[in-house]
Amino acid sequence: MKFRYFDLYSSMRSQKIMLEDMLRMKAYHAGIFRNSAEMIADKVVLDVGTGTGVLAVWAAKAGAKHVYAVDASHAHHYAEQLVHSEGVSDKVTVLHAKIEEIDIPQPVDIIISEWMGVFLIKESMFDSVAYARDKWLK
């Protein structure tokens, strides 16, 4: 059976490892909420590799006009559940696809991404974030 990269991020176990890293999560939370007024409020946000959708939900709660949360793994199901349970379904659109193979309806003001993942040096998310920047960032 051929290993598929995105399958690694489909399991809640791999997502849980990242979510339990409190230094990481506190840093992302602070980055979003300390800059919400000038960077996120009333802006269109793209979350590349959303996983469970935590950053997308935080961006919505920080005042984003709309958030596109994109993930190629089946973790997008977790994101859909979180978006619904947090009551931000009107502001967050979860899309299941590779960022390089999707089209979103408008340019974005800001890109957020937890591109380091579980295995930092084994990740290949930086190229995807750069692609998103070149294609959709205003």
Side-chain angles (χ1 to χ4, degrees):
M1 179 179 206
K2 184 179 178 186
F3 173 74
R4 293 184 47 203
Y5 171 80
F6 294 109
D7 289 343
L8 173 67
Y9 292 97
S10 296
S11 76
M12 191 55 179
R13 186 173 68 191
S14 63
Q15 296 294 324
K16 186 174 180 263
I17 291 168
M18 292 182 283
L19 292 169
E20 289 179 340
D21 182 340
M22 294 314 294
L23 288 176
R24 171 197 301 233
M25 297 309 293
K26 285 180 181 180
Y28 280 109
H29 187 271
I32 289 172
F33 285 98
R34 287 184 186 160
N35 295 295
S36 61
E38 63 275 359
M39 298 291 291
I40 296 175
D42 297 319
K43 302 285 177 33
V44 177
V45 177
L46 174 60
D47 181 3
V48 179
T50 198
T52 58
V54 171
L55 300 185
V57 166
W58 286 348
K61 289 188 172 198
K65 183 189 317 181
H66 197 82
V67 181
Y68 295 97
V70 181
D71 203 284
S73 80
H74 290 292
H76 78 281
H77 291 299
Y78 304 127
E80 289 168 343
Q81 291 172 5
L82 183 64
V83 165
H84 178 73
S85 69
E86 290 296 316
V88 292
S89 298
D90 60 328
K91 286 188 165 194
V92 180
T93 302
V94 178
L95 302 166
H96 178 222
K98 292 179 183 177
I99 194 74
E100 297 84 358
E101 298 174 357
I102 201 161
D103 201 19
I104 57 175
Q106 60 188 315
V108 301
D109 299 295
I110 186 169
I111 295 174
I112 58 176
S113 181
E114 203 291 86
W115 60 269
M116 293 181 299
V118 179
F119 300 118
L120 185 58
I121 60 173
K122 295 188 180 215
E123 290 299 307
S124 54
M125 284 291 299
F126 182 77
D127 290 343
S128 296
V129 173
Y131 175 88
R133 175 202 63 204
D134 295 345
K135 184 160 185 175
W136 290 298
L137 190 62
K138 285 183 183 175

